[in-house]
Amino acid sequence: MVSTSFTRDVQFPPLPLEEWEDTKNTLHLFLQIVGKVKLALFPKMNHWWHAPFYVSVRGLTTGPIPYEDMTFEMEFNFRDKEHVLRIETSEGDLKTVSLKGLSVAVFYDKVFSSLSELGIMVGIKPVPYDMPGVSTEPFPSDYQHTAYDEEYVNRFWKILVQVSSIFQVFRGWFTGKSSPVHFFWHHADLALTLFSGRLAPVREGANPVELEASSHEMISFGFWAGDQNIREPAFYAYMHPQPAGFMNEPLSPKEAFWSHQAGLALLRYEDVRNAADSPEKAVLDFLESVYQAGAKRANWDSEALRLPSSEKQLKEQSKEKAQKQHKEQADILEKLERPDI
């Protein structure tokens, strides 16, 4: 008999941080170099929405970036055998930079050489942003970070594909202002934020980044692969400003928990992979429980902000997914029983 774990391991593969941490750190620095290029050139948007990447069919992309009389796009290809950064213009010109076997310094040099050859002139502050314990070395002189395990990078991207789709479903239930589902390269997390529409009080001592990012009342959700503090992949959620009693509200599924020290709701990725029903349902239950906790404690009009057809859509999608998985398992069983197929 074929277990559902077969499908789960393909869509939600294992991602133990200690197995690929050196690779993750190198990749994170690569992402910051490209992210800073987008930050320098893309027209400014509220909440720093001009800075992030998006999950694509190959990996992660900047999306089209305006430059003079054309646009160009920078896309990390984690899908195909040759992991590369593609830099393509609307004029049809293309440059690629390999991701394997390069130090951060060499990658940095190749990226800016390629941009120059495409006629794109841009300058960035060439130092890592907010990566204490990982690197403070300027990009042009960082020859230390060279690790790149394409298998684990591919796994990370496959997880982002699944999580992005789940976040898109959840985002569709909400009719108020919301962010895109986007990947912030400074912390390397996939994020989605919902807003009540009310201004948030300004925190004393807040820097310009915080002021812009947290200018309005919000509930934010995300996924990241682990870091120096949380040593495993996890889903998280928080509210700004945090209302009284927010972290006393119940969470779903039962494995989810509040971290009072971090001020976050957390759900471990391993618990999602091993969810009794499905990983998708576990994540959606987590997102919804945090949303309901925040909406209740901060007096959001959750009914007015709810898309009326969302519950019906969720039931239909769950039914279709179950039918598809059943067919896939039946096909696998048939092939196992009939090797001639």
Side-chain angles (χ1 to χ4, degrees), residues 95-168:
K95 293 288 182 181
T96 61
V97 178
S98 176
L99 303 177
K100 296 186 287 185
L102 299 186
S103 66
V104 169
V106 173
F107 178 79
Y108 173 85
D109 180 68
K110 287 182 176 291
V111 167
F112 280 87
S113 295
S114 297
L115 288 170
S116 178
E117 290 171 12
L118 292 169
I120 300 166
M121 304 301 168
V122 56
I124 67 170
K125 187 175 182 180
V127 293
Y129 177 77
D130 199 17
M131 294 183 66
V134 176
S135 179
T136 57
E137 183 71 27
F139 301 138
S141 55
D142 185 350
Y143 293 93
Q144 176 186 353
H145 292 92
T146 60
Y148 193 91
D149 185 329
E150 57 264 39
E151 167 61 26
Y152 273 96
V153 174
N154 180 261
R155 288 188 192 186
F156 179 51
W157 165 67
K158 284 182 176 178
I159 295 167
L160 292 180
V161 168
Q162 298 299 322
V163 175
S164 177
S165 296
I166 296 169
F167 281 10
Q168 295 284 11

Side-chain angles (χ1 to χ4, degrees), residues 1-69:
M1 180 177 181
V2 177
S3 169
T4 56
S5 64
F6 177 87
T7 303
R8 293 189 188 199
D9 282 346
V10 172
Q11 296 176 335
F12 297 90
L15 197 71
L17 179 61
E18 59 275 6
E19 294 290 329
W20 77 300
E21 189 164 15
D22 288 344
T23 288
K24 177 181 176 291
N25 290 338
T26 301
L27 176 63
H28 194 168
L29 292 164
F30 287 176
L31 294 169
Q32 288 210 355
I33 291 169
V34 174
K36 288 190 174 201
V37 172
K38 182 180 181 183
L39 182 63
L41 293 177
F42 202 92
K44 194 175 186 303
M45 298 177 67
N46 60 173
H47 311 298
W48 298 96
W49 292 353
H50 56 295
F53 299 150
Y54 308 96
V55 178
S56 73
V57 297
R58 295 188 182 95
L60 288 169
T61 179
T62 60
I65 301 172
Y67 184 79
E68 295 183 351
D69 58 351

Side-chain angles (χ1 to χ4, degrees), residues 241-295:
Q242 188 178 117
F246 175 58
M247 299 180 74
N248 295 326
E249 292 294 319
L251 293 173
S252 293
K254 67 182 188 321
E255 293 82 7
F257 62 97
W258 293 105
S259 170
H260 291 269
Q261 181 179 3
L264 300 169
L266 292 169
L267 176 62
R268 296 183 179 93
Y269 174 65
E270 275 302 303
D271 289 328
V272 168
R273 292 186 68 237
N274 298 314
D277 293 324
S278 71
E280 294 87 347
K281 185 178 185 304
V283 175
L284 286 170
D285 286 349
F286 174 68
L287 303 178
E288 179 66 12
S289 68
V290 176
Y291 170 72
Q292 290 297 338

Side-chain angles (χ1 to χ4, degrees), residues 211-255:
L211 288 173
E212 176 60 34
S214 306
S215 59
H216 288 68
E217 191 176 64
M218 66 183 185
I219 307 175
S220 195
F221 312 87
F223 168 81
W224 84 112
D227 57 20
Q228 297 290 309
N229 299 314
I230 298 178
R231 303 295 298 163
E232 61 181 311
F235 294 85
Y236 68 83
Y238 64 90
M239 188 168 190
H240 171 78
Q242 188 178 117
F246 175 58
M247 299 180 74
N248 295 326
E249 292 294 319
L251 293 173
S252 293
K254 67 182 188 321
E255 293 82 7

